[in-house]
């Protein structure tokens, strides 16, 4: 298993370019099930999760090719309707094929994801919505088996705003009969991006980005040719990495407006940040000040940045309270940060982080994607050598992270197993 070794304590300086958003590209790839023909998606990052989705779509009978950031998906024929356990256990986002498969073929069989490193993560809201649209759903041998002749539009209320749930139902509703209204829908930029992609295929969708999304079903959709948005979590991770090292970094090809909550917190913590079009300039100045955060659905502070921000707060002046409201078990990085000398205690959904003056490099273990990003951030701010094990987690969501950081002056290398 590969490891990443970081010699900490160096300031990051220079320019970095942000890749396409994983969590936008995955649903757009699933949406290509709905448009028979050649679907072209650009700005797709080269990541393990993307190739997992590609392989899953190929398993369903589609052609899949990914080169130079462009994905081509041939969806003339769908020859299978099952997303097997092997794909779903590797990547929960495999569940995004449920809605479009059902809408296109009248049947979908998707392995039920189990719990994962950050929480139980049920998909009851996805299935509730499809059932309300007339699907017959059975759970057999660990699989959700859904059938429907043609789904029917209806009003669906989500108890909790769910990102992939909103996306699944938006895709299903695009080919349903009549109007579907999604209430308390997720407002994340990735949901808007999927709506834009679906509209480019001929779908009729209004209100994406607000809590109420209205979809008027059509009888067929065309293949898509679409460019996905830049990754706001990769953007945030580089901002935080620059801040912890007190460096000066220009982040190019991003969408600053998607990172407002984080930018505000970093500014309050002492960083100077300027936006100009699709670029962000950050200048970290000495030790950060502690700040409290609470993770919330967009536009609140993103749960996917909680771990990285905690790494920054570990070295800040003062005490910060970090509250995780989205996932019940997203503090796995705490034990690893403690091994580096961080002073963090957890009670329920809150972590109290007492800033220390120095973190010391140590061997640590990545437990999930964003937890591993926090260890990279901590390693960059620490004295000495940090060796991060199980970096396959980071390869799921960050394209060439060690190369990008090296370009910024970090002493970082991948140790091949
Ligand atoms: N929830 C339910 N029932 C459902 C669906 C969700 O109770 O049917 C709960 C979840 O357990 C959680 C909350 O609702 O407590 C919100 O979860 P959501 O469904 O929004 O999460 P997701 O769609 O599974 C996406 C991202 C995650 C990101 C979350 C929250 C993708 C592929 N994944 O997950 O990204 O953390 O939204 O913003 O878009 C990551 O990239 O590292 C990552 C985990």
């Amino acid at each position: 298993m590969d490891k990443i070794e970081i010699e900490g304590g160096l300031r990051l300086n220079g320019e970095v370019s942000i890749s396409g958003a994983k969590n936008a590209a995955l649903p757009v790839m699933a949406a290509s099930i709905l448009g028979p023909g050649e679907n072209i998606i650009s700005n797709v990052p080269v990541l393990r999760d993307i190739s997992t989705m590609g392989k899953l779509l190929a398993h369903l009978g589609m052609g899949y090719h990914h080169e130079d950031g462009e994905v081509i998906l041939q969806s003339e024929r769908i020859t299978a309707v099952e997303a097997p356990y092997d794909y779903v256990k590797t990547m929960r986002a495999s569940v995004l094929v449920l809605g479009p498969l059902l809408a296109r073929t009248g049947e979908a069989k998707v392995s039920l994801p189990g719990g994962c490193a950050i929480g139980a993560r049920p998909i009851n809201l996805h299935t509730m919505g499809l059932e309300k649209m007339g699907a017959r759903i059975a759970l057999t041998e660990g699989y959700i088996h859904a059938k429907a002749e043609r789904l029917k539009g209806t009003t669906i209320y989500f108890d909790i705003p769910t990102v992939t749930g909103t996306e699944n139902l938006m895709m299903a509703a695009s080919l349903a009969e009549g109007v579907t209204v999604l209430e308390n829908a997720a407002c994340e930029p990735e949901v808007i991006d999927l709506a834009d992609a679906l509209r480019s295929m001929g779908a009729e969708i209004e209100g994406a980005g607000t809590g109420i999304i209205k979809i008027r079903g059509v009888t067929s959709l065309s293949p898509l040719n679409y460019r996905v948005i830049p990754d706001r979590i990769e953007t945030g991770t580089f901002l935080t990495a620059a801040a912890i090292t007190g460096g000066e970094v220009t982040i190019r090809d991003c969408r600053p407006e998607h990172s407002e909550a984080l930018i505000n917190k970093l500014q309050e913590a002492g960083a100077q940040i300027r936006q100009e079009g699709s670029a962000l300039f950050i200048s970290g100045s000495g030790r950060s000040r502690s700040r409290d955060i609470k993770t919330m659905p967009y536009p609140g502070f993103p749960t996917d940045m909680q771990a990285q921000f905690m790494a920054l707060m570990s070295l800040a002046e003062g005490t910060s309270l970090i509250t995780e409201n989205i996932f019940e078990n997203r503090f796995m990085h705490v034990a690893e940060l403690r091994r580096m000398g961080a002073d963090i205690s957890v009670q329920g959904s809150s972590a109290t982080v007492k800033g220390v003056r120095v973190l010391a490099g140590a061997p640590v273990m990545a437990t999930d994607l964003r937890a591993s990003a926090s260890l990279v951030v901590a390693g960059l701010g620490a004295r000495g050598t940090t060796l991060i094990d199980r970096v396959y987690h980071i390869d799921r969501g960050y394209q060439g992270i060690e190369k990008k950081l090296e370009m910024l002056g970090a002493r970082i290398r991948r140790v091949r197993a």
Side-chain angles (χ1 to χ4, degrees):
M1 250 180 266
D2 287 3
K3 296 184 174 125
I4 283 181
E5 189 183 81
I6 301 171
E7 199 67 52
L10 290 177
R11 284 197 173 164
L12 296 186
N13 271 304
E15 291 194 7
V16 64
S17 172
I18 295 303
S19 302
K22 164 180 87 78
N23 289 348
L26 291 171
V28 173
M29 287 173 77
S32 63
I33 294 174
L34 296 166
E38 183 173 87
N39 292 269
I40 302 171
I41 311 168
S42 51
N43 203 29
V44 180
V46 181
L47 300 172
R48 215 162 59 99
D49 274 10
I50 296 293
S51 60
T52 304
M53 180 60 92
K55 284 181 200 151
L56 170 58
L57 295 174
H59 171 85
L60 301 177
M62 289 165 56
Y64 165 63
H65 186 73
H66 189 177
E67 202 175 323
D68 295 333
E70 188 172 89
V71 161
I72 299 183
L73 289 158
Q74 306 281 357
S75 59
E76 285 83 359
R77 287 179 333 121
I78 302 290
T79 52
V81 294
E82 183 177 313
Y85 181 57
D86 276 351
Y87 293 103
V88 181
K89 75 167 192 234
T90 317
M91 183 187 70
R92 299 175 61 87
S94 305
V95 78
L96 282 166
V97 302
L98 177 63
L101 257 185
L102 180 64
R104 165 127 181 224
T105 70
E107 186 175 2
K109 210 176 155 194
V110 174
S111 173
L112 187 67
C116 75
I118 62 176
R121 301 183 77 183
I123 56 160
N124 58 309
L125 299 172
H126 304 226
T127 50
M128 171 279 294
L130 293 173
E131 262 178 331
K132 274 203 90 179
M133 295 176 81
R136 298 177 302 284
I137 296 193
L139 180 67
T140 38
E141 294 167 350
Y143 280 77
I144 294 162
H145 196 169
K147 284 188 179 173
E149 277 65 60
R150 189 173 176 205
L151 294 165
K152 291 196 173 47
T154 183
T155 296
I156 294 162
Y157 173 81
F158 294 111
D159 289 339
I160 308 171
T162 155
V163 176
T164 48
T166 303
E167 291 166 347
N168 235 334
L169 292 173
M170 212 161 62
M171 289 189 274
S174 294
L175 282 183
E177 188 186 326
V179 176
T180 303
V181 181
L182 304 179
E183 294 191 349
N184 199 21
C187 302
E188 269 67 5
E190 294 77 16
V191 172
I192 304 179
D193 207 38
L194 174 64
D196 288 343
L198 288 167
R199 268 199 295 265
S200 78
M201 303 169 83
E204 295 183 17
I205 302 175
E206 281 168 35
T210 75
I212 299 182
I213 304 179
K214 208 185 254 185
I215 307 121
R216 187 177 298 278
V218 295
T219 48
S220 66
L221 293 168
S222 325
L224 54 81
N225 188 335
Y226 193 75
R227 181 179 175 83
V228 298
I229 51 170
D231 198 307
R232 65 192 166 100
I233 306 302
E234 190 194 15
T235 304
T237 302
F238 277 103
L239 283 173
T240 313
I244 205 168
T245 67
E248 279 192 23
V249 173
T250 301
I251 298 174
R252 298 223 177 266
D253 306 318
C254 63
R255 291 276 290 268
E257 70 274 25
H258 292 165
S259 298
E260 290 292 351
L262 173 70
I263 289 172
N264 269 299
K265 281 293 166 187
L266 289 173
Q267 285 171 328
E268 285 178 17
Q272 292 187 14
I273 302 178
R274 199 163 48 79
Q275 320 184 2
E276 211 177 280
S278 61
L280 278 167
F281 307 91
I282 176 165
S283 169
S285 52
R287 198 173 174 199
S288 295
R289 291 190 288 272
S290 62
R291 277 296 170 269
D292 297 343
I293 56 158
K294 288 186 173 132
T295 64
M296 307 273 269
Y298 190 84
F301 193 97
T303 173
D304 289 344
M305 280 305 304
Q306 179 257 107
Q308 302 89 314
F309 195 79
M310 189 185 290
L312 178 66
M313 290 298 99
S314 300
L315 276 175
E317 196 179 337
T319 299
S320 59
L321 186 68
I322 295 188
T323 307
E324 172 57 56
N325 288 317
I326 308 294
F327 294 111
E328 66 275 20
N329 190 27
R330 209 170 199 183
F331 282 138
M332 300 280 277
H333 43 285
V334 168
E336 302 302 309
L337 291 173
R338 274 201 203 123
R339 304 191 70 248
M340 300 175 72
D343 183 349
I344 308 171
S345 59
V346 175
Q347 257 194 330
S349 61
S350 291
T352 304
V353 186
K354 288 189 187 147
V356 295
R357 287 207 160 268
V358 178
L359 288 179
V364 287
M365 187 97 82
T367 48
D368 77 73
L369 171 54
R370 307 305 171 186
S372 44
S374 87
L375 299 177
V376 170
V377 171
L380 291 167
R383 275 195 201 149
T385 308
T386 298
L387 189 62
I388 307 173
D389 202 349
R390 300 204 181 156
V391 295
Y392 57 85
H393 286 295
I394 212 162
D395 294 334
R396 292 186 45 203
Y398 292 88
Q399 178 173 328
I401 190 163
E402 72 273 22
K403 291 203 185 71
K404 289 187 181 184
L405 284 169
E406 203 178 7
M407 299 272 285
L408 292 175
R411 222 171 278 151
I412 180 168
R413 69 182 185 106
R414 185 173 288 253
V415 184
R416 303 262 173 211

